[in-house]
Amino acid sequence: MLFILAGFLALLPAAWAPAVQAANSGVVIMYHRFGEDAYPTTSVTVEQLDEHIRELQSGSYAVMPLAEMIAALRAGRPLPDRAVAITIDDAYRSVYDVAWPKFRDAGLPFTVFVSTAGVDTGAPGIMTWDHLREMHQGGAAIEAHTVSHLHMADADVAKLREEVTESTLRIASEIGSKPKFFAYPYGEASDEVKAVVSEAGYTVAFGQQSGPLYPEADMLYLPRFPINMSFGGPDRFRQVINTLPLSLTDVLPSNPTLTKNPPNFGFTLPAKKSEADGIACYHSSFGRLTELEKLGESRIEIRFTEPFPEGRSRINCTAPGPNGRWRWFGMQYYVPAR
């Protein structure tokens, strides 16, 4: 039976009801594949997905449409405590075969970011437009993810404009509504890439760096927590969806693509300094960063002696929060191939 939008929305109050305390942040999680065990870095097992759904339905979380979360943050309206939004990248067939029936039956809203070329060409393992239309009619949001899933930070402006514009038009044509949000393939962006996305009319875009959303975050480079087999166990999943923002400001470099390598990395601590008590930072290649230099009362800078490797690197900074929760800030940097 077709899971129509009205029925989908009717389930939302029950999903939101347990979280009554107001908050000003939310967590966005990101999946790719489901039950495709040959791709452990981009898939979760069916058993993991079932565990995630049970946790999300446990009564502790407010699982809400991504658009609702963004609208509240931009308008300065409070969110329910432990607000969570579900996103899925790349339109793999296992989304339709495995995840869609489970999310539908659980009444959990989600968003799919679609690279249109694979759908248009009938690429193996990719959904069809009929699949995407069915999910959209059932309440899922279908959003933009370029045409060819390219490394955007390596492309010239003309190619970037083509990829963003054509993917937007294809989704609008096939789904019947223009996408509102954009996600960078691989989470790779740059100041130039963000400018092209903004020029195309997008005011909200997502990377793949970890961390919660909060009002002061860069709306053209918002964080999401990637979930896969290695980072999809129940304890890790519970930790992620309970995170609070570590609202660092004046983060440098602000450009997600490095023009100087190694960079001079730094940030300003939250105005409420107790929120950063016990802060620790980690680099995906170098491990824990021990040389945190404090400048004045609130500025922290880290001097790297080695260049970041080519490709993607992540820096995560965390601090203990209340009630066993963690505060989290993440940044992804990209180093182009020489």
Side-chain angles (χ1 to χ4, degrees):
M1 179 182 296
L2 180 63
F3 189 65
I4 61 173
L5 180 59
F8 182 80
L9 293 177
L11 291 170
L12 292 182
W16 293 8
V20 294
Q21 182 180 350
N24 68 344
S25 66
V27 169
V28 181
I29 57 176
M30 180 194 70
Y31 295 101
H32 286 87
R33 305 171 187 260
F34 302 87
E36 298 189 57
D37 295 353
Y39 304 95
T41 61
T42 54
S43 185
V44 294
T45 67
V46 175
E47 293 75 18
Q48 285 175 327
L49 177 60
D50 289 340
E51 289 172 340
H52 299 170
I53 290 174
R54 282 195 294 272
E55 181 67 23
L56 291 170
Q57 290 187 301
S58 67
S60 299
Y61 309 96
V63 183
M64 60 195 306
L66 182 63
E68 296 287 340
M69 181 181 288
I70 295 298
L73 285 171
R74 300 189 77 180
R77 297 194 303 268
L79 285 163
D81 188 31
R82 294 180 172 88
V84 179
I86 301 167
T87 66
I88 308 168
D89 283 11
D90 298 345
Y92 290 110
R93 176 63 187 259
S94 61
V95 177
Y96 181 82
D97 291 339
V98 179
W100 159 238
K102 292 178 181 292
F103 287 145
R104 177 191 62 201
D105 293 348
L108 298 177
F110 63 94
T111 295
V112 183
F113 288 99
V114 178
S115 295
T116 57
V119 186
D120 283 336
T121 61
I126 300 296
M127 285 188 282
T128 67
W129 287 115
D130 283 342
H131 294 143
L132 290 163
R133 276 190 290 269
E134 180 184 340
M135 291 195 303
H136 179 65
Q137 290 164 5
I142 309 299
E143 305 291 353
H145 197 43
T146 73
V147 173
S148 66
H149 204 276
L150 75 167
H151 294 274
M152 295 185 78
D154 292 333
D156 61 33
V157 170
K159 179 63 173 175
L160 292 172
R161 287 174 176 156
E162 175 187 321
E163 289 272 341
V164 176
T165 300
E166 289 191 9
S167 64
T168 302
L169 293 174
R170 285 296 294 135
I171 292 171
S173 173
E174 293 287 348
I175 300 301
S177 61
K178 184 178 179 181
K180 300 179 180 68
F181 304 140
F182 187 89
Y184 306 103
Y186 313 103
E188 296 168 3
S190 67
D191 287 347
E192 185 174 65
V193 170
K194 291 196 293 181
V196 169
V197 170
S198 176
E199 177 187 276
Y202 290 97
T203 57
V204 176
F206 293 85
Q208 294 185 18
Q209 71 277 23
S210 299
L213 275 57
Y214 57 100
E216 295 78 25
D218 181 354
M219 286 290 162
L220 282 171
Y221 197 56
L222 289 172
R224 297 181 290 170
F225 281 98
I227 308 294
N228 59 23
M229 288 187 195
S230 297
F231 296 101
D235 291 341
R236 165 73 175 183
F237 185 76
R238 193 175 300 111
Q239 179 191 53
V240 159
I241 59 177
N242 277 279
T243 52
L244 296 165
L246 179 57
S247 50
L248 307 180
T249 57
D250 305 312
V251 178
L252 296 175
S254 59
N255 188 345
T257 293
L258 295 181
T259 58
K260 176 185 177 183
N261 191 19
N264 293 329
F265 179 74
F267 51 83
T268 298
L269 297 170
K272 190 176 180 180
K273 294 182 177 58
S274 61
E275 293 184 358
D277 286 347
I279 189 171
C281 295
Y282 303 84
H283 188 281
S284 54
S285 294
F286 308 141
R288 182 164 182 170
L289 303 173
T290 57
E291 301 299 323
L292 276 63
E293 180 181 355
K294 191 168 185 180
L295 305 178
E297 288 298 313
S298 59
R299 185 70 184 171
I300 298 290
E301 297 197 355
I302 301 171
R303 304 297 182 217
F304 290 93
T305 58
E306 300 179 52
F308 289 14
E310 289 182 3
R312 299 181 293 278
S313 292
R314 290 180 175 86
I315 295 177
N316 290 319
C317 295
T318 61
N323 302 316
R325 301 168 74 177
W326 284 88
R327 299 189 182 278
W328 197 305
F329 174 87
M331 189 68 183
Q332 178 175 285
Y333 290 109
Y334 179 67
V335 176
R338 294 184 180 88

